Amino acid sequence: MRPRDEALVAVLTLAVLGMVVGSLGQTRHEPTSRDERPSTFIAGPGGSRALLDAMKRMGISVRRFRLRPQELVGLDDSKRQALFVLDPTVGLSAPEVGSILDFRDQADLIIAGAAAEPLMKCFGYKTKRRFLDSLQAIRPGANFRDASPWVHAVLISTGQTKVVDSTRSYDVSYGSCTVPAMAKVDTLLVSGGGQLVAVRVTPSDSGHAVILASDVELFRNRALRYTDAGPFALGLVAGRYDEVVFEEYHHGFGASGSLGGAVLEWSWGSPWGWLVWQAAIVGLMALLFGAVRFGVARPAIPRVRRSPLEHVRALATALSAARGHDVAIAAMVRGLRRRLLPPALRARGDWRLWLAQLKRSTRSERGQAALATLETLTRPGQESIAVLRAANAVEDLWEDQRR
């Protein structure tokens, strides 16, 4: 078996074994997603898909906003709206913070997570992370329960009236905002020590409220399912809004994208995708090892080119075997005339007369002997050996005329 055939068999065998292993290892249920982005597009424990589904069941219109925040102003403002900004995976730039603040004129804001701090600071609060520690959150005046949600951060007041954000100054610009005066501040969740976890503030310059939550864990699927975070999150919107908008652009679900990028992302996260990558790598290696020759190239078989005389003799032998002696001799003489005469004179006149006229230009004794031999052999009825003699005579005459 040739090396390339062996490589092909190896690749096919590997592919079949991979398919068998993948089929045996595949379970009936899809593997649990480990994506921790708090997006409504993610149904895993770290996502927020359950919050969106619950709102739909409650009859609230839900929209996933996948454009830049600058496009928020184009939304219909005739409904009671709320915009969820849940711990953006990609940091908010100063222009984007300004666009979200402008949208506050037509909708309430619900902001959660440390990554949303640039927005929180514009309302006088920021998050304080509790490393290696967590706290249970309850409503003010309530008692702790086993189902009380756990958080890893609390809210603290900044005490500032004007905030300057320089976190994106290296690629965008500085951002600044003025903290408005608050007409009303409601505490929604606190920790065991009385620290703030979630508040609702109503700025005096607008009739729309802003809800701030220290930890986005309150809105993740795992917390909504197993803790009191579910009733808390749904209580924020039930009976208050006709439409809820989830900001998804900063979670990597923008409206742009390509099929190639989606396929590549799938191949990195799927066992079948890994199988395709492994088969492609093995096939590429087999192709490289089968195509590249290492070491000195093998010497080729020498090919000696035949002389014109050998071709003439071969032609003479073939014509002799076909009993075309006279035809062969005449063809050789006409061929000699074509080689000696100019193109304009090659096809004119009888070749026998031309052969007789060669006596004037034939100088050597060898050429004259060859010419005499040809004149004799051009007579009809020659023997088979005459073809070979005529070939030799033509060659001698050609060499004589070329001098």
Side-chain angles (χ1 to χ4, degrees), residues 326 329-330 333 351-352 355 373-380 382:
D326 298 337
I329 295 173
V333 175
W351 58 271
R352 290 184 176 83
L355 187 62
T373 301
L374 279 179
E375 289 179 343
T376 302
L377 296 177
T378 52
R379 298 171 185 171
Q382 299 295 326

Side-chain angles (χ1 to χ4, degrees), residues 93 167-173:
S93 65
T167 56
R168 294 289 299 274
S169 61
Y170 65 93
D171 63 341
V172 182
S173 64

Side-chain angles (χ1 to χ4, degrees), residues 68-73 94-104:
R68 293 181 179 274
Q70 289 83 344
E71 305 296 330
L72 285 170
V73 295
E96 292 170 341
V97 170
S99 298
I100 295 176
L101 293 177
D102 293 340
F103 187 66
R104 185 170 58 92

Side-chain angles (χ1 to χ4, degrees), residues 6-250:
E6 294 178 356
L8 179 60
V9 172
V11 171
L12 293 177
T13 303
L14 178 63
V16 172
L17 290 177
M19 294 178 63
V20 172
V21 172
S23 300
L24 294 177
Q26 186 178 17
T27 60
R28 295 182 180 180
H29 303 285
E30 295 183 358
T32 302
S33 173
R34 297 182 180 180
D35 197 334
E36 288 295 309
R37 291 176 293 176
S39 168
T40 57
F41 284 100
I42 298 175
S48 300
R49 175 64 179 271
L51 183 60
L52 178 140
D53 292 339
M55 291 181 184
K56 287 183 177 179
R57 290 179 177 271
M58 295 169 60
I60 301 175
S61 176
V62 180
R63 176 180 299 190
R64 292 161 167 159
F65 194 77
R66 301 171 60 188
L67 302 177
R68 293 181 179 274
Q70 289 83 344
E71 305 296 330
L72 285 170
V73 295
L75 296 180
D76 183 14
D77 59 353
S78 61
K79 302 178 181 178
R80 296 179 299 169
Q81 291 179 325
L83 172 65
F84 273 81
V85 181
L86 301 179
D87 200 29
T89 307
V90 181
L92 295 168
S93 65
E96 292 170 341
V97 170
S99 298
I100 295 176
L101 293 177
D102 293 340
F103 187 66
R104 185 170 58 92
D105 295 336
Q106 64 186 73
D108 290 358
L109 301 181
I110 301 175
I111 306 169
E117 248 189 25
L119 278 172
M120 291 185 182
K121 290 180 178 179
C122 292
F123 300 100
Y125 290 89
K126 65 180 180 179
T127 61
K128 181 181 180 180
R129 186 77 176 175
R130 297 180 62 88
F131 294 97
L132 304 177
D133 191 12
S134 59
L135 300 170
Q136 278 188 299
I138 57 173
R139 297 181 184 275
N143 296 323
F144 287 100
R145 304 185 329 125
D146 292 339
S148 298
W150 293 83
V151 295
H152 301 274
V154 294
L155 291 174
I156 59 176
S157 176
T158 61
Q160 297 176 336
T161 57
K162 186 173 183 179
V163 179
V164 177
D165 181 15
S166 60
T167 56
R168 294 289 299 274
S169 61
Y170 65 93
D171 63 341
V172 182
S173 64
Y174 287 93
S176 63
C177 59
T178 302
V179 179
M182 299 301 170
K184 186 179 181 182
V185 177
D186 297 323
T187 302
L188 303 179
L189 290 177
V190 295
S191 66
Q195 296 173 299
L196 294 177
V197 175
V199 297
R200 178 188 287 113
V201 297
T202 304
S204 57
D205 61 350
S206 174
H208 293 281
V210 179
I211 298 174
L212 307 176
S214 62
D215 197 342
V216 75
E217 192 70 24
L218 296 169
F219 302 94
R220 295 187 188 274
N221 294 333
R222 52 174 168 256
L224 297 176
R225 180 175 182 181
Y226 297 109
T227 69
D228 291 338
F232 164 74
L234 295 178
L236 297 177
V237 297
R240 295 176 180 271
Y241 307 110
D242 301 320
E243 182 179 62
V244 172
V245 181
F246 287 92
E247 201 281 326
E248 296 288 353
Y249 180 83
H250 287 86

